[in-house]
Amino acid sequence: FFRIGGNSILAIQVSHRMSKTLGVDVRVADIFKYKTISGLLSQGLGHGRIEIPKLDTDRSVLSFAQERLWFIEQYEGGTNAYHIPQVYEVSEYADLEGLSYAINQVVSRHEVLRSTIELGADEKGIQIVHSEALLIEEKVLRTAEILEGVLREDINRPFDLSSEYPIRVKIYRINTEGERERVLLLINLHHIVSDGWSMEIFQKELLDYYGAYLRGDKLFSLAPLDIQYKDYSLWQRSYLSGEVLANQLSYWKKKLTGYSTLELPTDYVRPTQIDYRGGSEVFTLGNEISEKVRLLSRQYGVTVHSVLLSAMNVLLSKYTGQEDIVIGSPMANRHHRQTEGLIGFFVNSQVNRALLSKTQSYEELIQEVHRDQISGQAYQDLPFEKLVDELGVNRDTSRHPIFQVMFGVQSFGKEASGVEEKGHLMPYPGLTTYEVEKFDLSIFVDDRQELLMGRIGYASSLFKKETITRLIGHYLYLLEQLVESPQTPYSKISLLLPSEYKQIVYDWNATDKDYPSEKTLQELFAEQVLRTPDKVALVYEDNYLSYRDLDEKSNQLARHIRRRYNEQTGQELV
């Protein structure tokens, strides 16, 4: 499966197709564990079917993941940290009425997009589904100059989840005198009802309904959904209990016993509370590295994710001096067949823990990391939020619990270009109004194209842009060496680029200086004491000595040595 390019997203899709066709429950974990059809058959294909029942109600509890975000919203009195904005430049050939129609059809199809949250009797959130259509607002702007400010305000304004839908759609008409009208479309969803997979569904269904509108087919309808997100939320609460919950917890508790908090060196003192300010930089792995990464993944029968995550483990170990490295990775968490076509907040965080050693090779680490990924697939039902609670992790408001670095390889969107081409929508290149970061670092690699492309988000309250640029350079240089010699112990591989090595070893150590050859070192030091008696001569940790202090201390030490020598030998030290 992995040798022909399989990954976690394709594993979900394959398991769903097999389950539907064969009438048995083939799980994602099975695809990961038994990587061939014969392997699956030898283990006895399928498990007992898990069916999520459909509810006849417009009220439901929140899912575990939703509950965590809703708590943050309540605690902070509203925040922009969990917005998912998309801004498009609309073609002059687009039908705006058709786009509005298509958006409302998607909202009508997925109840979670037209829901609000209220406080229940037990002080927990209850999601309530409404029947009213989404109101799509239009704004007319007289100059393009004010667009950036308007977008910034609309994108970052917090949702009031108790009184408004968790999706906002706005159309901006920019009518500058003497120029053709420009039109922009903002679709802003709250993470509490969406994730990366959901955005793919939204885009595809938007295109389907828009195409039907242009054809004049008002009777067009997509196949009915088996369940809604609220059905999943209630089912999750009952399913994750008893023996199922105990088994899931047992696995993660054993895996994370005694884990170390990653202590990345930062440019600024860590604030007492995460402030979500962020920046980002992009990078490309290049032809040769991209090809070798994919070659290694096929050679070892692992995912590209395992190859790149292993290199990130090595990088962070070299940066921190730690050998116990914990990194998070987003998991689609769509392993139940009925969730594949749903918009909602399903994505889960898998905790990856690697114990490195000085004798281990990159090849060995890759295989160990991949085995860890396989075993973790069977325990993905436990939401990260539930894991944090059950582990009794001490809440530190200055950092994300358990892991501070998020790493992922993305494979969404291979067909997404259709939304742009057929929907007359192009991503707006001027979107710089939303820079949010929830972790110390978030590194994502896109493997949809021939070249592997990367993006690293960083907390700007911790790191300078130059530091992140340097980190990217170190990762690429390290990866280049690792894929070239995967059998070599990675502890022997230098993190420094040749230019950095020259600077540190040679340039910064070019301390040769001429001095009078007719004078002794003691005489030169005595002259310096007279010239700058109060200047700092020596520093050790928090202790400082001036030239005068050092002169006095050295004289005291000399007298002590003379006295001890005289006491032990009966002779004077010359």
Side-chain angles (χ1 to χ4, degrees):
F1 178 71
F2 298 115
R3 284 199 177 99
I4 60 174
N7 55 42
S8 59
I9 301 299
L10 291 174
I12 291 171
Q13 295 171 335
V14 167
S15 68
H16 290 173
R17 302 299 184 277
M18 293 179 73
S19 297
K20 184 176 181 179
T21 303
L22 301 175
V24 294
D25 188 21
V26 179
R27 298 175 183 172
V28 178
D30 297 333
I31 305 294
F32 267 73
K33 190 174 182 179
Y34 312 112
K35 294 176 277 189
T36 63
I37 293 173
S38 61
L40 276 169
L41 292 172
S42 68
Q43 297 301 315
L45 193 62
H47 308 267
R49 295 295 296 271
I50 295 177
E51 289 291 327
I52 303 173
K54 187 174 180 63
L55 303 174
D56 185 19
T57 178
D58 60 2
R59 300 169 66 88
S60 174
V61 295
L62 300 177
S63 69
F64 288 115
Q66 283 184 312
E67 191 172 68
R68 176 62 182 159
L69 289 199
W70 189 69
F71 171 79
I72 293 173
E73 285 284 339
Q74 298 292 104
Y75 178 77
E76 299 196 359
T79 174
N80 68 337
Y82 294 94
H83 294 186
I84 308 177
Q86 292 186 314
V87 181
Y88 298 98
E89 184 103 31
V90 181
S91 163
E92 61 181 307
Y93 304 108
D95 188 315
L96 289 178
E97 186 177 332
L99 285 172
S100 297
Y101 165 83
I103 291 168
N104 253 308
Q105 289 299 108
V106 177
V107 172
S108 175
R109 176 174 166 80
H110 296 273
E111 294 179 354
V112 73
L113 296 179
R114 44 188 173 88
S115 63
T116 58
I117 300 174
E118 70 174 29
L119 196 63
D122 57 357
E123 298 297 311
K124 292 188 175 181
I126 302 292
Q127 51 188 323
I128 303 170
V129 178
H130 302 271
S131 58
E132 292 82 9
L134 174 69
L135 178 63
I136 298 177
E137 183 183 346
E138 287 195 20
K139 282 188 178 180
V140 177
L141 307 178
R142 296 305 177 191
T143 62
E145 285 71 23
I146 65 173
L147 174 63
E148 188 79 6
V150 171
L151 274 177
R152 181 181 294 107
E153 180 181 347
D154 287 342
I155 287 173
N156 291 287
R157 179 167 56 87
F159 284 85
D160 182 351
L161 297 173
S162 65
S163 62
E164 65 175 312
Y165 289 173
I167 174 174
R168 292 194 193 120
V169 178
K170 291 195 175 184
I171 295 171
Y172 304 92
R173 295 179 178 272
I174 307 162
N175 291 318
T176 305
E177 189 175 350
E179 296 183 12
R180 181 181 62 82
E181 180 184 65
R182 289 175 59 204
V183 179
L184 265 64
L185 173 68
L186 166 65
I187 302 175
N188 197 7
L189 284 93
H190 197 289
H191 198 1
I192 206 165
V193 298
S194 187
D195 52 26
W197 188 299
S198 296
M199 296 308 296
E200 293 287 308
I201 295 171
F202 191 100
Q203 291 176 350
K204 180 183 180 303
E205 294 188 356
L206 170 63
L207 178 61
D208 289 340
Y209 281 113
Y210 181 65
Y213 181 90
L214 295 181
R215 294 193 305 271
D217 185 2
K218 294 292 182 70
L219 297 178
F220 171 81
S221 180
L222 294 170
L225 296 168
D226 284 349
I227 58 171
Q228 291 286 339
Y229 187 82
K230 69 176 190 300
D231 305 324
Y232 165 81
S233 299
L234 186 61
W235 168 84
Q236 182 192 46
R237 297 277 176 171
S238 59
Y239 176 72
L240 272 179
S241 59
E243 186 178 350
V244 172
L245 178 61
N247 289 339
Q248 297 264 331
L249 281 173
S250 176
Y251 172 83
W252 291 108
K253 283 182 176 179
K254 182 178 179 181
K255 177 176 178 175
L256 295 174
T257 297
Y259 76 91
S260 300
T261 299
L262 193 68
E263 297 293 348
L264 278 170
T266 60
D267 296 314
Y268 308 109
V269 176
R270 185 179 293 274
T272 56
Q273 219 166 351
I274 301 174
D275 65 7
Y276 301 119
R277 286 180 298 140
S280 63
E281 294 293 323
V282 297
F283 59 94
T284 304
L285 270 63
N287 278 309
E288 189 173 348
I289 298 180
S290 297
E291 185 178 334
K292 287 184 177 178
V293 164
R294 289 198 169 96
L295 181 63
L296 281 182
S297 71
R298 291 194 296 271
Q299 181 180 337
Y300 299 144
V302 303
T303 61
V304 169
H305 181 270
S306 294
V307 176
L308 295 176
L309 176 60
S310 298
M312 184 55 61
N313 280 319
V314 176
L315 177 76
L316 295 180
S317 177
K318 289 180 179 292
Y319 258 62
T320 63
Q322 298 172 254
E323 294 186 331
D324 184 357
I325 306 298
V326 178
I327 301 175
S329 287
M331 304 299 291
N333 198 28
R334 302 270 183 155
H335 43 283
H336 298 292
R337 178 184 55 82
Q338 292 163 285
T339 65
E340 182 177 358
L342 279 182
I343 288 177
F345 183 16
F346 292 95
V347 68
N348 198 13
S349 296
Q350 176 169 313
V351 183
N352 312 294
R353 186 182 185 186
L355 299 175
L356 281 67
S357 71
K358 290 181 170 55
T359 58
Q360 189 180 44
S361 69
Y362 182 49
E363 176 184 59
E364 293 167 334
L365 179 61
I366 288 173
Q367 293 168 341
E368 182 179 305
V369 165
H370 190 67
R371 285 193 294 270
D372 183 65
Q373 297 289 301
I374 291 174
S375 64
Q377 283 293 330
Y379 301 92
Q380 277 303 300
D381 278 315
L382 186 69
F384 178 75
E385 296 75 15
K386 186 74 171 171
L387 173 63
V388 172
D389 290 339
E390 294 290 343
L391 287 179
V393 175
N394 291 327
R395 293 289 184 175
D396 180 351
T397 58
S398 71
R399 67 183 80 208
H400 189 272
I402 302 181
F403 61 86
Q404 290 74 52
V405 175
M406 179 69 86
F407 182 90
V409 176
Q410 299 176 317
S411 301
F412 289 117
K414 292 189 177 181
E415 307 299 331
S417 60
V419 176
E420 299 156 11
E421 296 168 3
K422 300 175 185 176
H424 305 123
L425 302 174
M426 295 302 295
Y428 177 58
L431 183 56
T432 59
T433 57
Y434 187 72
E435 290 282 6
V436 168
E437 183 53 55
K438 296 179 281 292
F439 305 93
D440 290 6
L441 299 173
S442 293
I443 305 105
F444 290 98
V445 177
D446 187 341
D447 71 343
R448 290 174 293 181
Q449 308 298 329
E450 185 176 341
L451 287 181
L452 294 168
M453 312 289 289
R455 176 189 175 277
I456 177 166
Y458 61 94
S460 53
S461 60
L462 298 176
F463 303 103
K464 298 176 181 176
K465 178 181 177 180
E466 310 87 81
T467 300
I468 301 304
T469 302
R470 189 164 58 249
L471 184 144
I472 290 172
H474 287 156
Y475 181 59
L476 296 178
Y477 183 61
L478 178 67
L479 191 58
E480 181 182 352
Q481 297 176 86
L482 290 171
V483 297
E484 188 66 37
S485 305
Q487 291 83 26
T488 303
Y490 46 76
S491 60
K492 295 183 178 180
I493 295 177
S494 174
L495 194 64
L496 297 177
L497 280 71
S499 59
E500 290 180 312
Y501 183 86
K502 176 180 178 297
Q503 182 184 49
I504 294 171
V505 176
Y506 296 106
D507 297 348
W508 287 353
N509 280 314
T511 56
D512 295 348
K513 189 175 182 180
D514 293 333
Y515 62 92
S517 57
E518 70 279 4
K519 294 184 179 180
T520 65
L521 182 61
Q522 296 95 316
E523 289 172 330
L524 291 172
F525 177 73
E527 291 177 0
Q528 187 66 39
V529 172
L530 291 174
R531 281 196 301 272
T532 58
D534 297 317
K535 290 290 181 68
V536 175
L538 187 144
V539 178
Y540 175 70
E541 293 184 345
D542 294 331
N543 300 308
Y544 298 82
L545 288 180
S546 66
Y547 279 98
R548 181 188 290 111
D549 295 333
L550 183 57
D551 185 41
E552 291 174 356
K553 294 286 185 183
S554 60
N555 286 334
Q556 290 172 4
L557 178 60
R559 287 193 291 271
H560 175 74
I561 293 173
R562 285 176 179 273
R563 186 173 65 256
R564 293 290 293 167
Y565 181 83
N566 179 261
E567 291 171 355
Q568 293 178 11
T569 66
Q571 300 176 7
E572 291 291 335
L573 183 63
V574 180

